[in-house]
């Protein structure tokens, strides 16, 4: 550190040439984890160097290249050229199964469209989270249909062409009915509930908690 | 030992040898020690005198013993082997001997030493190279790759239909306890029979106690019969009734026990 | 992927010109702190690009600069010029001090690869502790190679790309003094003389595998 004080009066060692200084700036900017100020560059380079001048040369050298020398506030850094940003993304597509809530909501929308959120909740027996609807909207499998002409004018949801394409359906009417589902073994063959048991609206909400026990394996 | 020990010719050598002894723990095994000893010959490892080396090593082991330094077994094994090698090298070859010649053994030891020395040399050269993170550097700012994780959600028509089926059949489904319309529990039967038993002064068929609506459907009848039978056993145990069956599979009959019965 | 086949006959989209491809390689190498393989470069660049050719142009462009395009095994990376290391005190990472056993084991693995633990022990004349191997595996300087087709099918160790990168080697063939060692026969697996009498030619095949060691790295 003591030599540094001598720079004012003239160092014993001549400063390296400009091309060499440019190399130094290049290496420092490249290896530094943060943008580097001119003062910092000068402090790290040998005495008598002119980092600011070397920086400008370096910036010109990289003009139009895949990497650029850019100013970040008071400091300098090297960055990939913005137009090549697309190369820096490695897209990995991850297939993920739709959640049970989303599938059920989607199914209700498909079978009952146009359907309001309140109706979906009534049929499912549990409330439908905002996220579930958003996800289906984002997937473009449902879209907002006409408002229902009832108090509050709630929006309705209908399935989209994208939905039909994805599931290979010509129209939502092609969805198999309950009878067909049962014939295909998709419905559990339980005896129809006894007449006496029918008037238990309070138990339906309870049923929601228990609902899917038998099919639980589906999600695993 | 009849041979004079040449390595103790000078004081310097003697000191070196003693230093080795003190340092014995610092060696990585007999081969390492041999390599160090071979350095005192100050020749190319290719021209090393294995005989001299064997003598040096054996002298070293003797010294260690004299100083009561415990040598690990592998040092002693090497000493025994070198003693054998020394005798092979000194004695004229025995034509009847099957084993490899002393020269072959010596050449192999020299090879091993040279190879170890070469590897040490390489290791040093390797470590002296310009190294990443010390002499040259990777990009400091780990801009790296932006990993764009695109999640693609999938569902099949089957998922959809199963989901719908699940909802539509939910109303048919009742929690387990609610579902036992065809089951009569022991408690229920016991409760029933306690109330009725007072009227059973005569032997009566147990089955006649089944409640209305439980005698027709076989499933219900089975359950009710079983629970009533179990309940009657309870009542027998409690001393409330008598129980009898005339024959195998004959009707089971019960009768209230007279409190004055003995 | 079907479009790729069309490049032979002439793609709808012409591949970008060489200067542009060079920019792309520059940007990708610059942004990645790990070496990038040619295959990876080609996968990330538009169809019809020739990353290998662009790489050579780029390497020439950076020759003598503060940052260099270096080859690391089958991959390529940008690294600061070693002569500028003195500027980088700030970036220097504390290199873990390796034991003598670890350093020697590493050298043996590099020069004799693929090498079994028993062979390392024979060369060093002492047993190799589990921790020494573990340490080198952890540093990712060695990795487990193929099993040796000898009784017991022992695993072998080979050095890695990380090793090459760390020591600034283009390939395992560039290990210092490798040629001389081979010429001197010091890389041979020479069985002790006793073996010769026992008529065990099978042990010689072991030596054969050993000989072409450095090329083995090509497979990674």
């Amino acid at each position: 550190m003591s030599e540094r004080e001598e720079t004012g009066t003239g160092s014993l060692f001549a400063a390296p040439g400009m091309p060499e200084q440019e190399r130094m700036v290049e290496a420092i900017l490249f290896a530094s984890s943060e943008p580097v100020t001119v003062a910092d560059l000068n402090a790290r380079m040998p005495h008598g160097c002119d980092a600011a001048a070397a920086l400008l040369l370096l910036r010109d050298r990289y003009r139009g290249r895949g990497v650029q020398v850019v100013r970040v506030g008071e400091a300098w850094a090297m960055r990939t050229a913005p137009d090549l940003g697309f190369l820096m993304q490695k897209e990995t597509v991850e297939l993920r199964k739709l959640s049970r809530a989303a599938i059920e909501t989607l199914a209700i929308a498909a079978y009952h469209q146009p359907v309001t959120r309140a109706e979906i909740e009534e049929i499912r027996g549990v409330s439908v989270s905002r996220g579930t609807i958003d996800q289906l909207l984002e997937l473009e499998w449902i879209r907002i249909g006409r408002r229902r002409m009832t108090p509050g004018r709630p929006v309705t949801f209908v399935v989209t062409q994208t939905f039909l394409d994805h599931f290979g359906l010509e129209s939502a009417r092609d969805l198999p009915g309950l009878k067909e589902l049962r014939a295909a073994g998709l419905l559990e063959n339980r005896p129809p509930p006894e007449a006496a048991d029918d008037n238990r609206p309070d138990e339906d909400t309870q049923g929601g908690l228990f609902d899917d026990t038998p099919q639980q394996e589906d999600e695993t | 030992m009849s041979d004079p020990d040449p390595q103790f010719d000078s004081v310097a050598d003697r000191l070196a040898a003693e230093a080795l002894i003190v340092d014995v723990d610092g060696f990585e095994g007999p081969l390492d020690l041999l390599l160090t000893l071979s350095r005192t010959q100050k020749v190319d490892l290719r021209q090393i005198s294995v005989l001299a080396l064997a003598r040096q090593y054996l002298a070293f082991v003797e010294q260690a013993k004299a100083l009561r330094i415990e040598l690990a077994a592998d040092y002693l094994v090497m000493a025994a082997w070198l003693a054998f090698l020394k005798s092979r090298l000194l004695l004229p070859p025995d034509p009847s001997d099957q084993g490899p010649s002393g020269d072959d053994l010596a050449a192999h030891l020299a090879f091993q030493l040279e190879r170890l020395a070469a590897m040490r040399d390489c290791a040093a050269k390797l470590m002296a190279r310009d190294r990443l993170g010390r002499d040259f550097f990777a990009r400091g700012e780990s801009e790296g790759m932006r990993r764009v994780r695109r999640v693609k959600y999938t569902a099949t028509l089957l998922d959809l239909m199963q989901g719908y089926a699940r909802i539509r059949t939910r109303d048919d489904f009742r929690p387990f306890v609610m579902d036992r319309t065809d089951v009569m529990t022991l408690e229920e039967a016991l409760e029933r029979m306690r109330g009725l038993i007072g009227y059973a002064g005569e032997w009566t068929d147990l089955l006649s106690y089944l409640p209305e609506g439980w005698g027709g459907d076989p499933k219900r009848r089975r359950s009710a019969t079983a629970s009533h039978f179990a309940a009657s056993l309870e009542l027998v145990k409690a001393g409330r009734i008598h129980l009898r069956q005339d024959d195998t599979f004959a009707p089971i009959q019960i009768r209230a026990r007279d409190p004055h019965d003995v």
Side-chain angles (χ1 to χ4, degrees), chain A, chain B:
Chain A
M1 289 296 122
S2 59
E3 304 107 294
R4 189 148 298 170
E5 277 132 42
E6 293 167 18
T7 49
T9 58
S11 158
L12 272 172
F13 306 98
M18 226 355 127
E20 188 60 17
Q21 291 189 32
E22 205 192 310
R23 285 183 79 224
M24 292 177 175
V25 172
E26 188 178 28
I28 294 173
L29 288 191
F30 176 84
S32 173
S33 58
E34 276 159 31
V36 189
T37 63
V38 173
D40 205 0
L41 282 171
N42 274 324
R44 285 166 71 174
M45 287 159 69
H47 298 164
C49 282
D50 182 353
L55 250 173
L56 294 181
L57 286 176
L58 191 71
R59 173 154 77 162
D60 285 346
R61 182 183 292 274
Y62 275 98
R63 187 152 287 156
R65 311 272 336 133
V67 173
Q68 320 256 270
V69 175
V70 296
R71 202 184 159 132
V72 183
E74 289 305 296
W76 294 79
M78 282 167 99
R79 295 268 188 273
T80 53
D83 66 308
L84 297 178
F86 71 97
L87 291 170
M88 302 306 136
Q89 303 186 348
K90 197 175 207 172
E91 199 170 86
T92 49
V93 178
E94 197 177 296
L95 287 182
R96 212 180 279 177
K97 250 188 152 12
L98 215 53
S99 72
R100 162 169 297 214
I103 285 180
E104 289 184 4
T105 304
L106 182 64
I108 293 166
Y111 277 92
H112 293 263
Q113 65 172 337
V115 67
T116 65
R117 181 164 165 177
E119 286 162 354
I120 295 171
E121 295 186 338
E122 201 195 309
I123 296 169
R124 283 199 69 217
V126 285
S127 66
V128 175
S129 81
R130 178 83 241 164
T132 304
I133 302 263
D134 284 350
Q135 187 184 26
L136 294 173
L137 286 169
E138 206 176 292
L139 282 164
E140 291 182 42
W141 282 352
I142 62 170
R143 62 177 175 80
I144 290 172
R146 289 206 195 134
R147 284 184 183 275
R148 183 68 52 78
M149 286 304 140
T150 52
R153 293 176 39 80
V155 294
T156 61
F157 298 101
V158 292
V159 291
T160 62
Q161 186 61 45
T162 315
F163 165 86
L164 296 175
D165 290 346
H166 182 94
F167 292 96
L169 296 165
E170 292 247 326
S171 79
R173 275 185 301 274
D174 290 347
L175 281 167
L178 275 188
K179 243 183 225 156
E180 291 162 276
L181 291 178
R182 198 184 298 275
L186 291 170
L187 292 189
E188 289 220 356
N189 261 325
R190 287 177 173 280
E194 282 174 41
D197 295 338
D198 264 4
N199 306 322
R200 293 183 304 174
D202 51 323
E203 294 224 338
D204 276 16
T205 48
Q206 190 183 356
L209 289 169
F210 287 90
D211 56 349
D212 18 41
T213 347
Q215 276 103 339
Q216 205 75 32
E217 307 89 2
D218 292 4
E219 290 202 334
T220 55
Chain B
M1 290 224 173
S2 54
D3 325 282
D5 290 321
Q7 79 277 24
F8 289 147
D9 281 353
S10 72
V11 176
D13 283 346
R14 198 185 307 267
L15 283 175
E18 277 169 7
L20 290 178
I21 290 164
V22 174
D23 246 4
V24 70
D25 286 333
F27 287 103
E28 287 201 84
L31 204 59
D32 186 25
L33 171 58
L34 274 170
L35 189 58
T36 308
L37 288 173
S38 72
R39 302 271 187 228
T40 61
Q41 293 191 18
K42 295 188 178 80
V43 287
D44 187 330
L45 273 172
R46 258 166 249 228
Q47 282 125 45
I48 194 173
S49 161
V50 171
L51 183 59
L53 189 62
R55 283 180 182 141
Q56 279 174 282
Y57 185 92
L58 292 171
F60 166 82
V61 170
E62 285 303 312
Q63 275 284 69
K65 273 186 192 155
L67 292 171
R68 299 182 184 213
I69 292 172
E70 293 252 347
L71 284 178
D74 50 344
Y75 286 87
L76 299 177
V77 169
M78 179 61 93
W81 187 81
L82 285 174
F84 163 75
L85 175 61
K86 198 177 88 176
S87 68
R88 282 249 162 158
L89 289 171
L90 289 175
L91 297 172
D94 179 356
S96 67
D97 205 333
Q98 289 289 306
S101 73
D103 286 338
D104 288 346
L105 294 174
H108 188 71
L109 179 61
F111 166 75
Q112 281 181 295
L113 291 173
E114 197 188 347
R115 185 173 62 178
L116 180 59
M119 280 302 116
R120 295 222 164 130
D121 189 36
C122 287
K125 275 191 209 150
L126 203 56
M127 289 302 162
R129 284 184 71 85
D130 289 332
R131 289 166 67 180
L132 181 65
R134 189 187 70 184
D135 306 293
F136 61 95
F137 296 83
R139 170 106 164 96
E141 207 169 340
S142 49
E143 171 181 355
M145 289 277 283
R146 253 162 295 146
R147 269 198 189 272
V148 182
R149 264 240 306 259
R150 213 155 59 86
V151 177
K152 208 170 151 187
Y153 284 97
T154 58
T156 63
L157 191 56
L158 191 67
D159 294 332
L160 199 67
M161 294 188 312
Q162 279 174 336
Y164 189 63
R166 214 154 45 218
I167 305 161
R168 298 317 296 184
T169 54
R170 176 177 307 142
D171 295 343
D172 303 345
F173 180 79
R174 286 169 306 282
F176 186 59
V177 270
M178 305 304 295
D179 211 4
R180 304 199 316 183
T181 49
D182 294 339
V183 173
M184 179 171 278
T185 62
L186 169 64
E187 287 73 26
E188 283 176 87
L190 199 57
E191 194 65 27
R192 247 183 85 74
M193 288 184 73
R194 276 205 183 105
L196 294 173
I197 199 67
Y199 306 100
E202 297 303 317
W203 289 107
T204 20
D205 189 342
L206 177 66
L207 293 183
S208 63
Y209 287 86
L210 297 198
E212 216 164 306
W214 286 81
D217 180 10
K219 236 175 15 183
R220 289 167 75 92
R221 195 175 61 230
R222 264 200 305 279
S223 173
T225 307
S227 56
H228 277 74
F229 177 63
S232 64
L233 292 178
E234 284 292 318
L235 291 171
V236 171
K237 209 167 98 186
R240 301 273 313 273
I241 60 169
H242 292 293
L243 187 71
R244 77 171 189 197
Q245 186 176 28
D246 290 341
D247 202 355
T248 319
F249 300 120
I252 295 166
Q253 295 179 309
I254 59 170
R255 177 169 68 85
R257 191 176 159 186
D258 193 325
H260 308 294
D261 282 2
V262 185

